[in-house]
Amino acid sequence: SSQGPPRSNFNRSGGTGARSRLMSQADSSASPPATAGEGAGPSKRESEVEDLARKWLCAAETEAVEDDLKKLVEETKMPLEKLAGKEGLRMGPYQLVLWQPRYVFADLDGLHYQKLSTQNRPMGKPKKIKFASILEVTELEQGEIVIRCRSRDYTFKAPDASKASVMVHNLRQLILRHAEASGETGEQEAADSS
């Protein structure tokens, strides 16, 4: 005696029969039908709940943006080498270039760099390249990063290409966020130090 296909406990709405009935009862009891004196719009309580939900979502989004910003800033902290001067020392057809070790870090309005001691500790006063003065950030081969400003270019070298990529990406994001926050278009240039 064959009994046919097994019977499913799911109804067309996707839930089990008992669960669906409970859910539909909860839905119908959550918002009583509007009476003749009330409009068909949400009740005061529903509006308050919606306002609280919106505020919570805005706060959560703001927190996520701030966390992302902190991560961008944190990931720019690294030792790099900075190309010294505009031109290296020329010896006939050869050019000698000097890479100087620097500790590089960003804040909300610029990229800082300062000398490194022989123990790889930052020393001296940091110099700042303001984001408002940066026209372009480019990644070259072999981990080199060029920061082009109106008054001059800065060339840094990362220990490897992946760190250079992270630095370039983060700098571009920070520059974009700075421009959006300050309403700048990148055409204005603040005084940058060498």
Side-chain angles (χ1 to χ4, degrees):
S1 72
S2 73
Q3 296 181 352
R7 208 164 162 198
S8 171
N9 287 336
F10 286 92
N11 63 17
R12 291 183 186 265
S13 66
T16 61
R19 183 173 182 211
S20 292
R21 281 192 300 277
L22 287 174
M23 293 301 283
S24 64
Q25 287 173 358
D27 289 344
S28 64
S29 66
S31 56
T35 60
E38 298 177 16
S43 70
K44 182 178 178 184
R45 173 81 175 130
E46 289 172 329
S47 293
E48 289 173 355
V49 169
E50 287 177 10
D51 287 345
L52 284 173
R54 274 191 217 102
K55 287 177 184 175
W56 181 83
L57 285 172
C58 287
E61 184 177 333
T62 301
E63 184 178 339
V65 167
E66 288 173 2
D67 286 348
D68 187 40
L69 186 59
K70 286 178 188 174
K71 185 177 178 184
L72 286 172
V73 168
E74 189 64 33
E75 288 179 347
T76 62
K77 295 178 181 179
M78 66 175 74
L80 299 177
E81 293 179 328
K82 180 182 166 288
L83 185 62
K86 295 180 182 180
E87 290 189 29
L89 177 65
R90 292 214 174 262
M91 297 168 55
Y94 301 102
Q95 180 181 7
L96 183 67
V97 294
L98 177 63
W99 290 99
Q100 302 168 322
R102 296 292 183 256
Y103 178 70
V104 178
F105 61 97
D107 62 14
L108 299 179
D109 66 337
L111 180 70
H112 303 263
Y113 63 94
Q114 67 186 113
K115 293 179 181 180
L116 279 173
S117 69
T118 54
Q119 293 83 25
N120 282 333
R121 290 197 174 121
M123 62 181 219
K125 184 180 178 185
K127 296 182 179 179
K128 185 175 191 175
I129 306 168
K130 294 190 177 225
F131 288 148
S133 71
I134 297 175
L135 301 173
E136 181 181 26
V137 179
T138 308
E139 181 180 1
L140 302 178
E141 294 178 1
Q142 300 176 355
E144 290 184 22
I145 302 163
V146 177
I147 300 173
R148 191 169 63 89
C149 301
R150 286 192 190 275
S151 60
R152 64 170 280 191
D153 293 350
Y154 298 85
T155 304
F156 292 93
K157 186 171 186 170
D160 58 58
S162 66
K163 288 187 179 179
S165 294
V166 167
M167 179 63 85
V168 168
H169 173 266
N170 291 352
L171 284 176
R172 287 175 179 165
Q173 290 296 312
L174 288 166
I175 291 165
L176 180 65
R177 288 175 186 221
H178 178 265
E180 288 172 353
S182 62
E184 295 175 0
T185 60
E187 295 172 8
Q188 303 156 341
E189 178 177 353
D192 65 50
S193 31
S194 52

